[in-house]
Amino acid sequence: MSQTEKVLKFDDREIILIGTAHISQESCNEVKKAVEEKSPDCVAIELDEGRYKSLNNPEDWKNLDIVKVLKANQGFLLLANLVLSGFQRRMGSNVGVKPGDEMRAADNCAKERDIPVAMVDRPIQVTLRRAWAVNSFWGKCKLISALLASAFDKEEVSGEQIENLKNSSEMDSMMKELADYMPVVKKVLIDERDRYLASKIWDCKGKKTLAVLGAGHLPGVEAYLKELAAGKTSSDVSDISEVPPKKVGSKIAGWTIAALIVALIAAGFVYGGITKGAQLLGAWVLWNSVLAGLGTILAFGHPLAVLTAIVGAPFTSLCPLVGVGLFTGLVQATFCKPKVSDMETLQDDLTLKGFYKNRILRVLLVFFLSSLGSSIGTFAAGANFAVVIAEFVKGLFKK
């Protein structure tokens, strides 16, 4: 038996796990062979309904409404999704395989034999939002840096290296590296999904289920299936199927910080006179405006988008509900409207040059860099506040 195949027997049930590399021709062949020879009652695939639809309708990108995406507060989500997709596409191009080809092979082979197919993965939107929501500020910075690094990574991967991803030693090493670098993200991307996948596979109908999933999920899914069979856990995964709502304390903290900043500026005018008040107000406006505007300029944003960043950042930084990126992105999309050609080449333009050439990607770049600039500006202004207040208090004691 291949080390990428696990056969689990529970009383009258049999569950066969096939571990794959998502851009491997060998995995495509192995999956087809497994469906043909095992004749399962159900084929479970590591996809959610949304990704399954995209896999079978690749032209769906042409229907993307970037304005709608920004208004729904999904700019970061779309950007992360595109970067991850582009990274897999670049890796697969070296071996002539598209990401998800082995899932498509399993689906097609099952349909040819009238075998029911089940989508057993958690929606990608939920996974990415949970990964973002449960992270600390430092964790978010590391996540963003990792995404940016993968977006512009030029390293070529050979077919042999891709096949090695299915080996337990290689996979164990990668999982350990991920756990060490971003433990919270590893928990959401791997551990939670192991449990989710196992639960959905367990709920598949029929006495023989063949599940096709990434090789990295094999150990975790196998362990959870054994726990389900022993009655040690439930297949209810409602607790990890939604984005955790912001805690009341977090919501209060956001507004409290904004109120504190306004109060400090007001106190500067009242107790320190026009000079100190203007110094605090100027620091807040200057840091937010300059860095948000600089971010928009670095994205080659439209002049009106730059102006929007400069004017809007000091105000949006005081409102936890919206960020300046929403407004700069909308302005960019309005005055540099994406064309049909941008839709058609979207996935092929996921390169450094492509982000500036493709109008959809440029909108996302404007959204991201202006938001990043405003966030940095907020922290810089806060540090400046601390210095000014410390000097003021020191002066009072001297008097």
Side-chain angles (χ1 to χ4, degrees):
M1 186 188 301
S2 167
Q3 66 173 325
T4 58
E5 180 181 316
K6 300 281 185 180
V7 179
L8 309 175
K9 295 186 178 181
F10 308 108
D11 296 329
D12 63 339
R13 288 194 66 180
E14 183 178 357
I15 298 178
I16 305 162
L17 305 178
I18 304 294
T20 71
H22 292 312
I23 43 175
S24 160
Q25 183 58 54
E26 184 178 312
S27 287
C28 295
N29 299 335
E30 186 177 358
V31 163
K32 289 174 65 177
K33 183 179 178 182
V35 174
E36 292 169 355
E37 294 182 353
K38 306 294 184 182
S39 298
D41 299 318
C42 179
V43 173
I45 301 177
E46 186 200 334
L47 289 174
D48 60 77
E49 294 295 341
R51 282 183 291 158
Y52 177 72
K53 182 180 177 183
S54 298
L55 195 66
N56 290 289
N57 299 285
E59 299 300 306
D60 268 2
W61 286 111
K62 296 180 181 179
N63 300 319
L64 177 67
D65 186 340
I66 190 63
V67 172
K68 187 177 179 180
V69 168
L70 292 177
K71 287 183 176 179
N73 199 27
Q74 295 181 346
F76 280 118
L77 180 66
L78 176 60
L79 184 60
N81 214 342
L82 287 171
V83 167
L84 292 172
S85 173
F87 180 67
Q88 282 195 328
R89 281 169 63 87
R90 287 198 302 277
M91 287 181 66
S93 65
N94 295 328
V95 293
V97 178
K98 296 179 182 177
D101 270 359
E102 88 282 19
M103 302 296 173
R104 188 183 290 108
D107 181 48
N108 291 338
C109 200
K111 285 179 178 177
E112 290 172 3
R113 288 158 180 75
D114 293 323
I115 299 172
V117 177
M119 305 301 123
V120 294
D121 200 4
R122 184 169 62 183
I124 185 65
Q125 294 89 341
V126 174
T127 296
L128 292 176
R129 282 180 172 175
R130 283 184 67 85
W132 184 259
V134 301
N135 250 312
S136 63
F137 173 75
W138 177 238
K140 287 181 171 68
C141 291
K142 291 169 74 175
L143 183 58
I144 289 172
S145 65
L147 284 171
L148 290 177
S150 66
F152 306 124
D153 186 9
K154 298 293 185 180
E155 182 181 357
E156 293 190 359
V157 181
S158 67
E160 183 180 355
Q161 287 175 302
I162 290 173
E163 295 306 327
N164 284 340
L165 292 177
K166 296 185 288 185
N167 297 332
S168 58
S169 57
E170 292 281 342
M171 192 56 65
D172 290 344
S173 176
M174 288 181 64
M175 290 302 103
K176 185 179 184 305
E177 186 177 336
L178 178 60
D180 291 341
Y181 183 60
M182 293 185 287
V184 176
V185 172
K186 188 260 182 184
K187 178 183 176 183
V188 174
L189 295 184
I190 307 297
D191 299 340
E192 284 188 359
R193 285 178 61 222
D194 284 349
R195 179 186 158 202
Y196 191 98
L197 287 164
S199 297
K200 296 303 178 182
I201 291 169
W202 183 258
D203 289 339
C204 287
K205 299 186 181 302
K207 292 187 176 183
K208 181 188 286 188
T209 301
L210 188 146
V212 180
L213 58 156
H217 290 292
L218 281 184
V221 169
E222 180 182 0
Y224 274 113
L225 285 171
K226 288 179 178 177
E227 287 189 10
L228 285 164
K232 294 180 179 179
T233 188
S234 165
S235 62
D236 179 16
V237 288
S238 56
D239 60 311
I240 57 171
S241 297
E242 297 178 353
V243 180
K246 279 189 176 181
K247 296 180 181 178
V248 176
S250 177
K251 292 179 181 179
I252 294 175
W255 288 109
T256 300
I257 291 172
L260 180 62
I261 290 170
V262 173
L264 287 172
I265 293 174
F269 281 104
V270 173
Y271 298 105
I274 294 178
T275 302
K276 287 297 179 187
Q279 195 174 355
L280 291 172
L281 179 60
W284 179 257
V285 172
L286 186 65
W287 280 110
N288 275 279
S289 294
V290 169
L291 292 181
L294 180 61
T296 311
I297 291 171
L298 289 175
F300 287 6
H302 189 278
L304 287 178
V306 176
L307 181 61
T308 300
I310 293 171
V311 174
F315 297 99
T316 57
S317 294
L318 293 172
C319 180
L321 300 179
V322 295
V324 73
L326 168 64
F327 301 102
T328 56
L330 290 175
V331 170
Q332 181 70 24
T334 300
F335 291 94
C336 295
K337 292 182 179 179
K339 302 176 181 178
V340 174
S341 58
D342 294 314
M343 304 288 187
E344 292 174 340
T345 62
L346 182 61
Q347 292 187 318
D348 293 325
D349 286 336
L350 290 166
T351 62
L352 180 58
K353 181 180 178 180
F355 264 90
Y356 286 94
K357 183 182 73 172
N358 188 294
R359 292 191 173 200
I360 294 176
L361 295 176
R362 179 95 67 84
V363 169
L364 289 175
L365 199 60
V366 166
F367 162 83
F368 174 72
L369 291 182
S370 62
S371 299
L372 182 62
S374 179
S375 297
I376 296 173
T378 298
F379 281 96
N384 196 288
F385 272 32
V387 172
V388 173
I389 292 170
E391 290 177 350
F392 178 65
V393 172
K394 186 178 180 181
L396 287 177
F397 278 110
K398 284 184 177 180
K399 292 179 181 179

